[in-house]
Amino acid sequence: MEKKVSVLTPCFNGEDYIERYFDALLKQTYDNFEIVFVDDGSTDKTASIVKKYIKKFKDRNVELKYVYQENGGQASAINNGLKIISGDYLIWPDSDDYLEKNALKILAKELDKDESLSSVRGNVIYREDKTLKEIEIGKPEDKNKMDLFLDYLLFTKNVHCFVGIMMIRLKDFIEANKGLDISTSRAGQNWQILLPITYNRKCKYIDKNVYNYVVRQESHSHQKRSIEKELDKQKSHKNLLLEILNKIDITEKEKKIYCRMVNKKYNKIIIKLWIKTTLFGKFLLKIKNRGK
């Protein structure tokens, strides 16, 4: 009997791409899965498109659970979705990306083989928005490394994608996270899943393509931000990481070390950004740009 996989996805105004996302799920070669789709207050045709797919998935014996919430951000949407998932394993792709047809089978079967694994991950294919032409394939620098906590904490070259490529064992996440609730911060929702599940737990890499990441220039992660907004974002990331470190079971000695690492990394970024907001910093930046 196949273990049940929960596919949890938040979405805001996804009418332009969620049909592609759902069609890829309809083609999955793995049968025992559910979809929990959380609509984060969409104002376009997202709801009507999702409702058309409910019957299509029902015909395939797959339940598509549609949840609507007032706009609260991705972390809030994931938090609400986690309350109604019923699977043994969890994967959380973005609605503007899509899974390879064998993705669920590849990842679930690897977790089935080894109970000592809390998570598994594969490769991501980065694709152009308009043509879906392949840009590159993301793979980790160290393919044999199974302890990824520091890599996700500090975002090293062993991290090539935060969503869609990883499947986790839900009971291990509940134990590591002390439940299913995550903070509803507007930034960094993926860290709230990745850090608890990778601390003192093994994640195996599988050298197979499982996820297609569509690089949309207008997406939230690719928008050009003002220096002030970028400053706020980096401060939020730092504070969230420190909050997660204080939540998970970790020795005080390690916690101090990791908190110091986070503070050092983000304070350096924040100071550089802050200098750019001062008159002197803007003057130096103007001189630098003039010389180009």
Side-chain angles (χ1 to χ4, degrees):
M1 178 70 180
E2 290 180 335
K3 294 286 182 67
K4 187 174 183 179
V5 174
S6 293
V7 182
L8 171 57
T9 295
C11 178
F12 175 72
N13 286 349
E15 66 177 13
D16 291 338
Y17 42 77
I18 56 174
E19 288 183 335
R20 180 181 64 204
Y21 162 85
F22 284 129
D23 287 341
L25 284 168
L26 282 169
K27 294 174 185 174
Q28 288 301 304
T29 55
Y30 194 82
D31 293 320
N32 192 15
F33 69 98
E34 67 175 0
I35 304 161
V36 177
F37 190 93
V38 185
D39 184 344
D40 186 28
S42 295
T43 56
D44 63 358
K45 296 177 183 176
T46 291
S48 60
I49 295 171
V50 176
K51 288 169 185 175
K52 284 194 295 185
Y53 274 88
I54 290 175
K55 185 180 184 305
K56 291 183 181 182
F57 281 104
K58 188 176 181 180
D59 291 343
R60 230 211 98 170
N61 202 30
V62 170
E63 185 178 11
L64 167 54
K65 300 175 183 177
Y66 172 71
V67 180
Y68 178 86
Q69 68 172 38
E70 294 298 323
N71 183 257
Q74 286 189 318
S76 172
I78 286 178
N79 194 42
N80 284 329
L82 285 171
K83 291 177 172 62
I84 61 169
I85 59 175
S86 61
D88 301 287
Y89 305 147
L90 170 68
I91 187 170
W92 61 105
D94 280 341
S95 59
D96 52 348
D97 302 327
Y98 59 101
L99 292 165
E100 288 284 283
K101 68 177 183 179
N102 293 322
L104 298 184
K105 178 175 280 189
I106 288 168
L107 297 170
K109 292 302 180 186
E110 206 64 40
L111 283 175
D112 288 343
K113 284 185 210 174
D114 189 348
E115 283 286 333
S116 73
L117 295 174
S118 288
S119 55
V120 291
R121 60 178 184 154
N123 298 329
V124 58
I125 306 170
Y126 291 98
R127 296 190 181 276
E128 290 180 355
D129 181 15
K130 305 300 181 187
T131 64
L132 296 183
K133 181 180 177 182
E134 180 183 311
I135 300 171
E136 64 176 322
I137 296 178
K139 298 185 179 187
E141 189 174 67
D142 184 349
K143 297 179 181 180
N144 297 314
K145 190 173 184 185
M146 301 178 80
D147 174 11
L148 298 174
F149 178 75
L150 265 180
D151 294 290
Y152 280 113
L153 184 68
L154 301 176
F155 199 10
T156 72
K157 291 181 179 179
N158 276 324
V159 176
H160 48 287
C161 189
F162 268 46
V163 296
I165 63 167
M166 181 182 280
M167 185 178 287
I168 67 175
R169 199 181 300 275
L170 200 61
K171 68 179 180 65
D172 288 354
F173 175 71
I174 292 171
E175 179 185 347
N177 190 59
K178 300 177 184 175
L180 282 171
D181 278 336
I182 66 169
S183 166
T184 54
S185 161
R186 282 274 180 178
Q189 71 278 355
N190 297 307
W191 273 315
Q192 299 186 64
I193 298 175
L194 292 164
L195 292 178
I197 199 67
T198 54
Y199 176 69
N200 275 350
R201 288 172 171 81
K202 292 196 294 184
C203 177
K204 183 177 180 180
Y205 165 68
I206 309 156
D207 194 3
K208 291 184 179 178
N209 300 336
V210 297
Y211 191 59
N212 295 279
Y213 184 106
V214 181
V215 182
R216 295 191 305 123
Q217 293 305 313
E218 72 274 18
S219 72
H220 176 71
S221 58
H222 288 89
Q223 287 175 358
K224 289 185 178 179
R225 298 179 181 86
S226 68
I227 294 173
E228 288 79 6
K229 285 184 179 179
E230 185 63 27
L231 190 57
D232 288 340
K233 175 193 166 188
Q234 296 300 331
K235 286 178 181 176
S236 296
H237 282 175
K238 184 185 85 164
N239 291 335
L240 179 63
L241 288 171
L242 295 175
E243 180 185 328
I244 297 169
L245 287 171
N246 280 307
K247 180 182 180 181
I248 60 179
D249 282 325
I250 189 170
T251 67
E252 285 301 317
K253 183 179 179 181
E254 284 182 298
K255 188 186 295 182
K256 286 180 182 177
I257 292 169
Y258 295 142
C259 285
R260 197 178 301 126
M261 288 178 176
V262 169
N263 277 316
K264 182 179 179 181
K265 175 183 175 179
Y266 282 90
N267 287 347
K268 188 176 180 180
I269 295 170
I270 289 166
I271 288 169
K272 282 184 178 178
L273 288 168
W274 179 80
I275 288 172
K276 290 180 182 179
T277 66
T278 65
L279 288 174
F280 181 64
K282 289 176 181 177
F283 173 71
L284 291 177
L285 196 61
K286 189 180 288 186
I287 291 174
K288 182 180 176 183
N289 291 335
R290 192 180 295 166
K292 289 182 179 179

